[in-house]
């Protein structure tokens, strides 16, 4: 997931990432500041930072840390579900003008361990193949986790659909019984009324 969004000074922006359990999530971000004179987004001034908070589906805070204007954060999920990733600048009037706009570039990678090319080049060919093989095995494990998570979600959705259909069926039966009861009561009331008036 790669995106950018605009944010005000000290304004908190959050995104939701659906992550399987036991999965590494790596986020890279860069903050740019709006320059009113040049009418463009420029590289951030020194001292401007981002406060990153990550909350699990059970509302537990997994990460809460202040970073610089450009950085990398990571966390490992221990529950499957929607994780909330929030970013908020620590800008002040000393760092940037009050009310100035910020542009935040954010790149989130789920379940990826990046190859360090310098390490790969420094090793001989056998170690390089071994290193790349381990990385491929990790990716296969991640794909397997993703598939299992999707199967779990599909099963939950199916159960929810079946329960909803069952509830609709019972509600229709209850409505039908109520209508029949009301009809019988109305017929009996009319019959009693006609008898009392000696019309039948």
């Amino acid at each position: 997931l790669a995106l950018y969004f605009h944010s005000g000074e000290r304004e908190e922006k959050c995104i939701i990432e659906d992550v399987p359990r036991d999965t590494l999530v790596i986020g890279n971000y860069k903050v740019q500041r709006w320059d009113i004179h040049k009418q463009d987004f420029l590289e951030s001034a020194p001292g401007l930072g981002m406060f990153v908070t990550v909350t699990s589906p059970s509302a537990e805070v997994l990460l809460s840390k202040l970073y610089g204007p450009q950085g990398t954060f990571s966390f490992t999920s221990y529950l499957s579900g929607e994780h909330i990733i929030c970013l908020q600048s620590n800008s002040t009037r000393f760092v940037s003008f009050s009310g100035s706009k910020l542009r935040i570039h954010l790149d989130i990678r789920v379940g990826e361990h990046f190859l360090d090319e310098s390490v790969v080049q420094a090793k001989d060919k056998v170690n390089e193949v071994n290193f790349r093989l381990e990385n491929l095995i990790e990716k296969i494990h991640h794909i397997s986790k993703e598939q299992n998570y999707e199967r779990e979600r599909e099963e939950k959705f199916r159960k929810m659909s079946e329960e909803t259909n069952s509830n609709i069926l019972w509600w229709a039966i209850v409505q039908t019984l109520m209508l029949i009861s009301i009809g019988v009561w109305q017929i009996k009331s009319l019959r009693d009324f006609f008898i009392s008036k000696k019309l039948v």
Side-chain angles (χ1 to χ4, degrees):
L1 172 69
L3 55 92
Y4 77 84
F5 50 88
H6 293 159
S7 174
E9 204 176 332
R10 290 191 175 275
E11 182 183 0
E12 186 177 56
K13 294 279 187 175
C14 298
I15 64 165
I16 295 173
E17 190 69 29
D18 210 350
V19 184
R21 67 174 176 269
D22 299 324
T23 301
L24 176 67
V25 179
I26 298 172
N28 292 300
Y29 73 88
K30 181 176 78 171
V31 185
Q32 293 176 305
R33 180 173 50 87
W34 175 255
D35 190 296
I36 197 166
H37 302 295
K38 296 187 178 180
Q39 292 293 301
D40 195 10
F41 284 98
L42 305 177
E43 296 304 317
S44 239
L48 180 65
M50 292 301 291
F51 195 74
V52 181
T53 307
V54 179
T55 309
S56 74
S58 63
E60 183 180 341
V61 177
L62 300 178
L63 176 69
S64 181
K65 189 174 177 183
L66 180 63
Y67 295 87
Q70 184 171 347
T72 300
F73 61 89
S74 64
F75 66 93
T76 301
S77 62
Y78 68 91
L79 282 176
S80 298
E82 295 180 342
H83 289 68
I84 301 171
I85 302 168
C86 296
L87 293 96
Q88 182 181 23
S89 73
N90 72 333
S91 59
T92 63
R93 293 186 185 186
F94 178 76
V95 175
S96 62
F97 295 106
S98 178
S100 66
K101 287 190 297 184
L102 302 173
R103 176 183 283 173
I104 302 166
H105 299 262
L106 180 62
D107 182 18
I108 297 216
R109 311 249 174 153
V110 178
E112 288 193 22
H113 294 267
F114 302 108
L115 285 173
D116 187 343
E117 293 300 330
S118 63
V119 172
V120 172
Q121 290 168 6
K123 295 179 179 290
D124 57 39
K125 288 293 179 186
V126 175
N127 285 340
E128 181 183 346
V129 170
N130 186 46
F131 188 68
R132 289 186 183 276
L133 186 61
E134 286 177 3
N135 190 262
L136 282 172
I137 289 168
E138 275 190 19
K139 286 183 177 177
I140 290 167
H141 285 314
H142 173 65
I143 291 167
S144 177
K145 280 183 195 173
E146 284 277 1
Q147 288 176 333
N148 289 335
Y149 179 48
E150 290 302 323
R151 273 195 290 270
E152 286 174 14
R153 289 182 64 190
E154 186 181 347
E155 189 178 342
K156 282 181 186 175
F157 182 73
R158 184 176 51 78
K159 283 181 180 176
M160 192 183 299
S161 298
E162 287 173 356
E163 286 173 8
T164 304
N165 289 335
S166 175
N167 290 338
I168 290 170
L169 176 64
W170 281 110
W171 176 240
I173 291 169
V174 168
Q175 279 185 317
T176 305
L177 291 173
M178 285 173 65
L179 287 170
I180 291 170
S181 301
I182 291 168
V184 168
W185 177 76
Q186 284 181 331
I187 290 169
K188 185 178 181 304
S189 297
L190 281 170
R191 185 172 172 275
D192 292 344
F193 174 75
F194 289 145
I195 289 172
S196 67
K197 296 293 183 182
K198 298 182 180 179
L199 296 174
V200 283

